[in-house]
Amino acid sequence: MRMLLTHKKGPVSFESLRTVEGVIYDSYREAVKALGLLNDEETWLKTIMEIISYTNDRDQLRSTYASMLVFSDLEDQRGIWEETKDLFASDFLYARGLTEYNEEIYRDALDDIQEKVYNNGGAKIEEYGLPPSRDGKKSFNIIRREKSYNKTRLAEEVKEKLTTMNTDQRHCYDTIMERVKNSKNYSNNGFFINAPGGIGKSFLLNALLDTLRSTKKIALAVASSGIAATVLHGGRTAHNMFKIPIMDHKDVRACSVKRNSEHAR
């Protein structure tokens, strides 16, 4: 309906909104399709390949694809999936130490896409034409996902970052990593990094995140806004990560992380 209201001039009723060249269509989707406003498969494939040309981060690729699923329209998502599923699942192949793809690896990728679709306010991925995830049969393995980063690549990137840090950045990095390694020896392990914008705080934070993930540790990158979260590797908003409800100041509610769930663990 939103697309029709944007592109059709002068509709006077819901019926006229669904009318294209004298034909009254039963649904808004059919009317949109008749107007040629639905994205075609070739456009989607070009978009996915363009993302691949700019980044090797498969988690970011799946995040972008999930957003495309929720906020765009395409008739044949199954065709897109079949043609590009190796690209979406390559990090899971590497994480499992395998050389050939199998259904379990593709299911790993579908599970992750499903979770990202939910995070964008979407529905089950089969409603978009994709094969079903293991939602309902097997919980999303959040812990596995957080440990599925390419550790060799991250270690190489950390090594490069360390050579370009200035004195203050390196002092922060060394101090925080010392606390990570020996946290039991200290009573306070919280840090606040204070510096003007554009001076390299995000660079430092990403170096810390990459270091921890390269050693198989879980590092949760959280920011207060979506824009700030995109700057951090694997970043998510606090509302998303901790399931903080959007509330009126008079409301008293709890975060909706279920007890004993994988998310809680």
Side-chain angles (χ1 to χ4, degrees):
M1 180 189 289
R2 187 184 304 111
M3 294 179 72
L4 290 172
L5 289 170
T6 301
H7 289 86
K8 287 201 67 176
K9 296 181 179 180
V12 296
S13 66
F14 293 113
E15 188 175 87
S16 69
L17 191 60
R18 300 195 310 273
T19 302
V20 179
E21 296 183 354
V23 179
I24 302 174
Y25 290 91
D26 293 331
S27 68
Y28 298 116
R29 172 178 281 274
E30 290 176 313
V32 168
K33 185 178 180 181
L35 284 170
L37 298 177
L38 290 178
N39 294 320
D40 60 21
E41 184 173 335
E42 183 179 355
T43 301
W44 276 65
L45 286 172
K46 286 182 178 179
T47 302
I48 292 170
M49 298 313 297
E50 185 173 352
I51 296 170
I52 291 294
S53 69
Y54 280 99
T55 178
N56 288 321
D57 190 337
R58 293 304 190 260
D59 184 71
Q60 182 61 52
L61 174 64
R62 291 190 294 271
S63 293
T64 305
Y65 182 62
S67 298
M68 292 164 66
L69 286 174
V70 175
F71 300 112
S72 301
D73 290 283
L74 182 68
E75 292 296 293
D76 183 23
Q77 278 298 342
R78 181 65 69 101
I80 294 289
W81 166 255
E82 292 298 333
E83 191 158 345
T84 59
K85 59 185 180 182
D86 287 0
L87 295 174
F88 287 118
S90 61
D91 55 336
F92 291 109
L93 177 76
Y94 181 86
R96 286 175 176 263
L98 300 176
T99 57
E100 294 184 2
Y101 291 92
N102 57 43
E103 284 304 311
E104 284 299 302
I105 291 173
Y106 294 136
R107 291 295 178 186
D108 288 343
L110 288 168
D111 286 352
D112 191 57
I113 291 171
Q114 176 66 87
E115 184 183 7
K116 295 180 190 307
V117 166
Y118 280 150
N119 290 340
N120 279 310
K124 288 184 177 294
I125 55 176
E126 51 261 47
E127 295 186 22
Y128 303 101
L130 292 179
S133 69
R134 289 174 289 205
D135 182 25
K137 297 180 181 178
K138 179 179 178 180
S139 63
F140 294 120
N141 197 329
I142 301 171
I143 296 173
R144 183 193 65 234
R145 183 196 64 199
E146 293 295 340
K147 289 187 175 183
S148 66
Y149 289 91
N150 187 324
K151 299 168 186 60
T152 302
R153 178 174 60 82
L154 288 179
E156 292 174 352
E157 291 180 359
V158 168
K159 187 176 180 180
E160 182 178 348
K161 285 184 173 73
L162 292 178
T163 62
T164 58
M165 283 185 180
N166 60 37
T167 303
D168 289 336
Q169 288 172 325
R170 187 57 189 259
H171 171 70
C172 291
Y173 176 89
D174 290 339
T175 302
I176 294 171
M177 287 307 302
E178 163 64 20
R179 292 293 180 93
V180 171
K181 295 175 182 177
N182 302 292
S183 60
K184 294 181 180 179
N185 298 333
Y186 300 92
S187 60
N188 186 350
N189 291 308
F191 289 89
F192 178 79
I193 301 173
N194 184 25
I199 206 167
K201 296 188 297 296
S202 297
F203 177 83
L204 170 62
L205 293 172
N206 283 324
L208 290 165
L209 291 168
D210 292 348
T211 300
L212 295 169
R213 289 165 177 162
S214 70
T215 59
K216 299 184 179 181
K217 288 183 171 63
I218 292 177
L220 303 180
V222 180
S224 58
S225 71
I227 293 176
T230 60
V231 179
L232 301 176
H233 296 170
R236 297 164 70 181
T237 64
H239 282 81
N240 182 290
M241 180 71 75
F242 304 119
K243 307 302 179 185
I244 302 172
I246 305 297
M247 66 184 78
D248 184 86
H249 70 280
K250 296 179 181 178
D251 291 341
V252 178
R253 301 180 187 172
C255 298
S256 58
V257 177
K258 296 180 180 179
R259 184 188 298 273
N260 297 325
S261 67
E262 188 177 71
H263 197 124
R265 291 195 293 276

